[in-house]
Amino acid sequence: MAKYNVHAGHCPQGKGASGAVGFLKESVEDRIVKNEMIRLLKSEGHTAYDCTCDVATTQSGCLARIVTKCNSHSVDEDASVHLNSGREDEKGDGDTGGVEVLIYSWASASKETAERICEEVSKELGIRNRGVKVDSSLYVLRKTKAPAYLIECCFVDDKDDYEKWDAKRCAKAIVRGMLNKDIKGGS
C-alpha cells in the first residue's frame, strides 16, 4: 500500500494567510476535501498524513510549516488541495472555470496522477478540465521531497463552478485519480 501526504493550502479561514473567497471560501472547502481524501485513502488501506497548517501565520510561515510536515514523512506523493480564483463570474456565464493540477515540471513523476485527477474531477463535477500545468515557482512543489501536485479543484468566484461544487464528490474523484481505480468510499 502507498503512503501520501495530503494538505489543505493556506491557514484556517480568517486566521492569517487564508485562501481566496467568493461564492466559496477556499480555506473552508479545501479542508473538507482534504479530510475526505484522507478518510478515503485510509479506507482503501493506504497511509495518509495530514500536513495542513492549522495555525494563524503569514503565507511564508504557512508554507514552511506545510513543507516541514510533508518532509518529515517518507511518502509516495504529496497532494496539495486548493481552490482557484480569478474568474470573477458573479452572474454565471454558462461556462465553468474548472479544475487544473499544477506540477513542478513535465518530467515530474506525478504527471500521470495529475492528469488522472483533472479527468476524474472534471467528469465527476461536470466542470471544465483545464489540464495539467507546470509551475516551478510554487514553494510546495519546489521544496517537498516526494513527487507533488497542487490541485485547484474549481474557482471560488465562478457562479457556474459554485453551482456544481460538492467537496466530498470532488475528494472521491481526486482519490480515484490518485489510485487509478474506482473506490468503495468507506463508511
Side-chain angles (χ1 to χ4, degrees), residues 50-110:
D50 187 343
C51 297
T52 303
C53 174
D54 279 322
V55 300
T57 184
T58 63
Q59 180 181 6
S60 59
C62 182
L63 292 169
R65 286 174 188 265
I66 289 169
V67 167
T68 297
K69 286 182 180 184
C70 286
N71 287 342
S72 72
H73 309 123
S74 179
V75 298
D76 299 288
E77 292 179 340
D78 288 312
S80 182
V81 181
H82 293 258
L83 279 76
N84 219 335
S85 67
R87 286 268 295 158
E88 300 175 8
D89 178 19
E90 293 179 16
K91 294 182 180 175
D93 61 6
D95 193 16
T96 60
V99 58
E100 64 188 22
V101 180
L102 305 163
I103 57 176
Y104 182 75
S105 77
W106 290 119
S108 173
S110 61

Coordinates of all heavy atoms in Angstrom, one line a residue, residues 50-110:
D50 N -1.9 14.0 7.4 CA -2.4 15.4 7.3 C -1.3 16.4 7.6 O -0.8 16.5 8.7 CB -3.6 15.6 8.3 CG -4.3 16.9 8.1 OD1 -3.8 17.8 7.4 OD2 -5.4 17.0 8.6
C51 N -0.9 17.1 6.6 CA 0.2 18.1 6.7 C -0.3 19.5 6.6 O 0.4 20.4 6.3 CB 1.2 17.8 5.6 SG 2.0 16.2 5.8
T52 N -1.6 19.7 6.9 CA -2.2 21.1 6.9 C -1.6 22.0 8.0 O -1.4 21.5 9.1 CB -3.7 20.9 7.0 OG1 -4.2 20.0 6.0 CG2 -4.4 22.3 6.9
C53 N -1.5 23.2 7.7 CA -1.1 24.2 8.7 C -2.4 24.8 9.3 O -3.2 25.4 8.6 CB -0.4 25.4 8.0 SG 0.0 26.8 9.1
D54 N -2.6 24.5 10.6 CA -3.9 25.0 11.2 C -3.7 26.1 12.3 O -4.4 26.2 13.2 CB -4.6 23.8 11.8 CG -5.4 23.0 10.8 OD1 -6.0 23.6 9.9 OD2 -5.4 21.8 10.9
V55 N -2.6 26.8 12.1 CA -2.4 28.0 13.0 C -2.4 29.3 12.2 O -2.2 29.3 10.9 CB -1.0 27.9 13.7 CG1 -1.0 26.6 14.6 CG2 0.2 27.9 12.7
A56 N -2.7 30.4 12.8 CA -2.6 31.7 12.2 C -1.2 32.1 12.0 O -0.4 32.2 12.9 CB -3.4 32.7 13.0
T57 N -0.8 32.3 10.8 CA 0.5 32.8 10.4 C 0.5 33.5 9.1 O -0.5 33.6 8.4 CB 1.5 31.6 10.5 OG1 2.9 32.0 10.2 CG2 1.2 30.5 9.4
T58 N 1.7 33.9 8.7 CA 1.9 34.5 7.4 C 1.8 33.5 6.2 O 1.9 32.3 6.5 CB 3.2 35.3 7.3 OG1 4.3 34.3 7.4 CG2 3.3 36.3 8.4
Q59 N 1.8 33.9 5.0 CA 1.8 33.0 3.9 C 3.1 32.2 3.9 O 3.1 31.0 3.8 CB 1.7 33.7 2.6 CG 1.8 32.8 1.3 CD 1.7 33.6 0.0 OE1 1.7 34.8 0.0 NE2 1.6 32.8 -1.0
S60 N 4.3 32.8 4.1 CA 5.5 32.1 4.1 C 5.6 31.2 5.3 O 6.1 30.1 5.3 CB 6.7 33.0 4.1 OG 6.7 33.9 5.1
G61 N 5.1 31.6 6.5 CA 5.0 30.8 7.6 C 4.2 29.5 7.4 O 4.5 28.4 7.9
C62 N 3.1 29.7 6.8 CA 2.2 28.6 6.5 C 2.8 27.6 5.6 O 2.8 26.4 5.8 CB 0.9 29.1 5.9 SG -0.4 27.9 5.5
L63 N 3.4 28.1 4.5 CA 4.1 27.2 3.5 C 5.2 26.4 4.2 O 5.4 25.2 3.9 CB 4.6 28.0 2.3 CG 3.5 28.6 1.4 CD1 4.1 29.6 0.5 CD2 2.8 27.5 0.7
A64 N 6.0 27.1 5.0 CA 7.1 26.5 5.7 C 6.7 25.3 6.6 O 7.2 24.3 6.7 CB 8.0 27.5 6.5
R65 N 5.6 25.6 7.3 CA 5.0 24.5 8.2 C 4.5 23.3 7.4 O 4.7 22.2 7.8 CB 3.9 25.1 9.0 CG 4.3 26.0 10.2 CD 3.1 26.7 10.8 NE 3.5 27.7 11.8 CZ 3.7 27.5 13.1 NH1 3.5 26.3 13.6 NH2 4.1 28.5 13.9
I66 N 3.8 23.6 6.3 CA 3.3 22.5 5.5 C 4.5 21.7 4.9 O 4.5 20.4 5.0 CB 2.5 23.1 4.3 CG1 1.1 23.6 4.8 CG2 2.2 22.0 3.2 CD1 0.3 24.4 3.8
V67 N 5.5 22.3 4.4 CA 6.6 21.6 3.8 C 7.4 20.8 4.9 O 7.8 19.7 4.7 CB 7.5 22.5 3.0 CG1 8.9 21.9 2.7 CG2 6.8 23.0 1.7
T68 N 7.6 21.4 6.0 CA 8.3 20.7 7.1 C 7.5 19.4 7.5 O 8.1 18.4 7.7 CB 8.4 21.6 8.4 OG1 9.2 22.7 8.0 CG2 9.0 20.9 9.5
K69 N 6.2 19.5 7.6 CA 5.3 18.4 7.9 C 5.5 17.3 6.8 O 5.6 16.1 7.1 CB 3.9 18.8 8.1 CG 3.5 19.5 9.4 CD 2.0 19.8 9.5 CE 1.7 20.5 10.7 NZ 0.2 20.7 10.8
C70 N 5.3 17.8 5.6 CA 5.4 16.8 4.4 C 6.8 16.1 4.4 O 6.8 14.9 4.3 CB 5.3 17.6 3.1 SG 3.6 18.1 2.7
N71 N 7.9 16.9 4.6 CA 9.2 16.3 4.5 C 9.6 15.4 5.7 O 10.6 14.7 5.7 CB 10.2 17.3 4.2 CG 10.1 17.9 2.8 OD1 9.6 17.2 1.9 ND2 10.7 19.0 2.6
S72 N 8.7 15.4 6.8 CA 9.0 14.6 7.9 C 8.5 13.1 7.7 O 8.8 12.3 8.5 CB 8.3 15.2 9.2 OG 6.9 15.0 9.1
H73 N 7.8 12.9 6.6 CA 7.3 11.6 6.3 C 8.0 11.1 5.0 O 8.2 11.9 4.1 CB 5.8 11.6 6.0 CG 5.0 12.2 7.1 ND1 4.2 13.3 6.9 CD2 5.0 11.9 8.5 CE1 3.6 13.6 8.1 NE2 4.1 12.8 9.0
S74 N 8.2 9.8 4.9 CA 8.6 9.2 3.6 C 7.4 8.7 2.9 O 6.8 7.7 3.4 CB 9.6 8.0 3.9 OG 10.0 7.4 2.7
V75 N 7.0 9.4 1.8 CA 5.8 9.0 1.1 C 6.0 8.9 -0.4 O 7.0 9.2 -0.9 CB 4.7 10.1 1.4 CG1 4.4 10.2 2.9 CG2 5.1 11.5 0.8
D76 N 5.0 8.4 -1.0 CA 5.0 8.2 -2.5 C 4.6 9.5 -3.2 O 5.2 9.8 -4.3 CB 4.0 7.1 -2.9 CG 4.4 5.8 -2.3 OD1 5.4 5.2 -2.7 OD2 3.7 5.3 -1.3
E77 N 3.7 10.3 -2.6 CA 3.3 11.5 -3.3 C 2.8 12.5 -2.2 O 2.3 12.1 -1.2 CB 2.1 11.3 -4.3 CG 2.5 10.5 -5.5 CD 1.3 10.2 -6.4 OE1 0.1 10.3 -6.0 OE2 1.6 9.9 -7.6
D78 N 2.9 13.8 -2.6 CA 2.3 14.9 -1.8 C 1.2 15.5 -2.6 O 1.3 15.9 -3.8 CB 3.4 16.0 -1.6 CG 4.4 15.6 -0.6 OD1 4.1 15.1 0.5 OD2 5.6 15.8 -0.9
A79 N 0.0 15.7 -1.9 CA -1.2 16.3 -2.6 C -1.6 17.5 -1.8 O -1.8 17.5 -0.7 CB -2.3 15.3 -2.6
S80 N -1.6 18.6 -2.6 CA -1.9 19.9 -2.0 C -3.3 20.4 -2.6 O -3.4 20.4 -3.8 CB -0.8 21.0 -2.4 OG -1.1 22.2 -1.8
V81 N -4.2 20.6 -1.7 CA -5.6 20.9 -2.1 C -5.9 22.4 -2.0 O -5.7 23.0 -1.0 CB -6.6 20.1 -1.3 CG1 -8.0 20.4 -1.7 CG2 -6.3 18.6 -1.3
H82 N -6.3 23.0 -3.1 CA -6.7 24.4 -3.2 C -7.9 24.6 -4.0 O -8.4 23.7 -4.7 CB -5.5 25.2 -3.9 CG -4.3 25.2 -3.2 ND1 -3.9 26.3 -2.5 CD2 -3.3 24.3 -3.0 CE1 -2.7 26.1 -1.9 NE2 -2.3 24.8 -2.2
L83 N -8.4 25.8 -4.0 CA -9.5 26.3 -4.9 C -9.0 27.5 -5.6 O -8.3 28.4 -5.0 CB -10.8 26.5 -4.2 CG -11.6 25.3 -3.9 CD1 -11.1 24.5 -2.7 CD2 -13.1 25.7 -3.6
N84 N -9.2 27.7 -6.8 CA -8.7 28.7 -7.7 C -9.6 30.0 -7.6 O -10.7 30.0 -7.0 CB -8.7 28.3 -9.1 CG -7.5 28.7 -9.9 OD1 -6.9 29.7 -9.6 ND2 -7.2 28.0 -10.9
S85 N -9.1 31.1 -8.1 CA -9.9 32.3 -8.2 C -9.4 33.1 -9.4 O -8.3 32.8 -10.0 CB -9.7 33.2 -6.9 OG -8.4 33.7 -6.8
G86 N -10.2 34.1 -9.8 CA -9.8 35.0 -10.9 C -10.8 35.0 -12.0 O -10.6 35.7 -13.0
R87 N -11.8 34.2 -11.9 CA -12.9 34.2 -13.0 C -13.8 35.4 -12.8 O -14.3 35.9 -13.8 CB -13.7 32.9 -13.0 CG -13.0 31.7 -13.5 CD -13.2 31.5 -15.0 NE -14.6 31.2 -15.3 CZ -15.2 31.3 -16.4 NH1 -14.5 31.8 -17.4 NH2 -16.4 31.1 -16.6
E88 N -14.1 35.8 -11.6 CA -15.0 36.9 -11.3 C -16.3 36.8 -12.1 O -16.8 37.8 -12.7 CB -14.2 38.2 -11.5 CG -13.0 38.4 -10.7 CD -12.2 39.6 -11.0 OE1 -12.6 40.5 -11.7 OE2 -11.1 39.7 -10.4
D89 N -16.9 35.6 -12.1 CA -18.1 35.4 -12.9 C -19.2 35.3 -11.8 O -19.7 34.3 -11.4 CB -18.0 34.1 -13.7 CG -19.3 33.8 -14.4 OD1 -20.1 34.7 -14.6 OD2 -19.4 32.6 -14.7
E90 N -19.8 36.5 -11.4 CA -20.8 36.6 -10.4 C -22.2 36.2 -10.9 O -23.0 35.8 -10.1 CB -20.8 38.0 -9.8 CG -19.5 38.3 -9.1 CD -19.5 39.7 -8.5 OE1 -20.6 40.3 -8.4 OE2 -18.4 40.2 -8.1
K91 N -22.4 36.4 -12.1 CA -23.8 36.1 -12.6 C -23.9 34.7 -13.2 O -25.0 34.2 -13.4 CB -24.2 37.2 -13.7 CG -24.3 38.6 -13.0 CD -24.7 39.6 -14.0 CE -24.8 40.9 -13.3 NZ -25.1 42.0 -14.2
G92 N -22.8 34.1 -13.6 CA -22.9 32.9 -14.3 C -22.9 33.1 -15.8 O -23.8 33.9 -16.3
D93 N -22.0 32.6 -16.5 CA -22.0 32.8 -18.0 C -22.2 31.5 -18.7 O -22.0 31.4 -19.9 CB -20.6 33.4 -18.4 CG -19.4 32.5 -18.1 OD1 -19.6 31.4 -17.6 OD2 -18.3 33.0 -18.3
G94 N -22.7 30.4 -18.0 CA -22.9 29.1 -18.6 C -21.7 28.3 -18.9 O -21.8 27.2 -19.5
D95 N -20.5 28.8 -18.4 CA -19.3 28.1 -18.6 C -18.6 28.0 -17.3 O -18.6 29.0 -16.5 CB -18.4 28.8 -19.6 CG -17.2 28.0 -20.1 OD1 -17.2 26.8 -19.9 OD2 -16.3 28.6 -20.7
T96 N -18.0 26.9 -17.0 CA -17.3 26.7 -15.7 C -15.8 27.1 -15.9 O -15.2 27.0 -16.9 CB -17.3 25.3 -15.2 OG1 -16.7 24.4 -16.2 CG2 -18.8 24.8 -14.9
G97 N -15.2 27.5 -14.7 CA -13.8 27.8 -14.7 C -13.0 26.5 -14.8 O -12.1 26.3 -15.5
G98 N -13.4 25.6 -13.9 CA -12.9 24.2 -14.0 C -11.7 23.9 -13.0 O -11.4 24.6 -12.2
V99 N -11.2 22.7 -13.3 CA -10.2 22.1 -12.4 C -8.8 22.1 -13.2 O -8.8 21.9 -14.4 CB -10.5 20.6 -12.0 CG1 -10.8 19.8 -13.2 CG2 -9.5 20.0 -11.1
E100 N -7.7 22.3 -12.5 CA -6.4 22.1 -13.0 C -5.5 21.6 -11.9 O -5.8 21.8 -10.8 CB -5.9 23.4 -13.6 CG -5.6 24.5 -12.6 CD -5.3 25.9 -13.3 OE1 -5.6 26.1 -14.5 OE2 -4.7 26.7 -12.6
V101 N -4.4 21.0 -12.4 CA -3.5 20.5 -11.4 C -2.1 20.9 -11.8 O -1.7 20.8 -13.0 CB -3.5 18.9 -11.3 CG1 -2.4 18.4 -10.3 CG2 -4.9 18.4 -10.9
L102 N -1.4 21.5 -10.9 CA 0.0 22.0 -11.1 C 1.0 21.1 -10.6 O 0.9 20.5 -9.6 CB 0.1 23.4 -10.4 CG -1.0 24.4 -10.8 CD1 -1.0 25.5 -9.8 CD2 -0.7 24.9 -12.2
I103 N 2.1 20.9 -11.4 CA 3.2 20.1 -11.1 C 4.5 20.9 -11.3 O 4.5 22.0 -12.0 CB 3.3 18.8 -11.9 CG1 3.3 19.1 -13.4 CG2 2.1 17.9 -11.5 CD1 3.4 17.8 -14.3
Y104 N 5.6 20.4 -10.8 CA 6.9 21.1 -10.8 C 7.5 21.2 -12.2 O 8.0 22.2 -12.7 CB 7.9 20.5 -9.8 CG 9.2 21.3 -9.8 CD1 9.3 22.5 -9.2 CD2 10.3 20.7 -10.4 CE1 10.5 23.2 -9.1 CE2 11.5 21.4 -10.4 CZ 11.6 22.7 -9.8 OH 12.8 23.3 -9.8
S105 N 7.4 20.1 -13.0 CA 8.0 20.0 -14.3 C 7.3 18.9 -15.1 O 6.6 18.0 -14.5 CB 9.5 19.7 -14.3 OG 9.7 18.4 -14.0
W106 N 7.4 19.0 -16.4 CA 6.8 17.9 -17.3 C 7.4 16.6 -17.0 O 6.8 15.6 -17.3 CB 6.9 18.3 -18.8 CG 6.0 19.5 -19.1 CD1 6.4 20.7 -19.6 CD2 4.6 19.6 -19.0 NE1 5.4 21.5 -19.8 CE2 4.2 20.9 -19.4 CE3 3.6 18.7 -18.5 CZ2 2.9 21.3 -19.4 CZ3 2.3 19.1 -18.5 CH2 2.0 20.4 -19.0
A107 N 8.6 16.5 -16.4 CA 9.3 15.3 -16.1 C 8.9 14.7 -14.8 O 9.4 13.7 -14.4 CB 10.8 15.5 -16.2
S108 N 8.0 15.4 -14.1 CA 7.6 15.0 -12.7 C 7.0 13.6 -12.7 O 6.2 13.3 -13.6 CB 6.6 16.0 -12.1 OG 6.1 15.6 -10.9
A109 N 7.4 12.9 -11.7 CA 6.8 11.5 -11.5 C 5.3 11.6 -11.2 O 4.6 10.6 -11.3 CB 7.5 10.8 -10.4
S110 N 4.8 12.8 -10.9 CA 3.4 12.9 -10.5 C 2.5 13.4 -11.7 O 1.3 13.6 -11.6 CB 3.2 13.9 -9.4 OG 3.7 15.2 -9.8

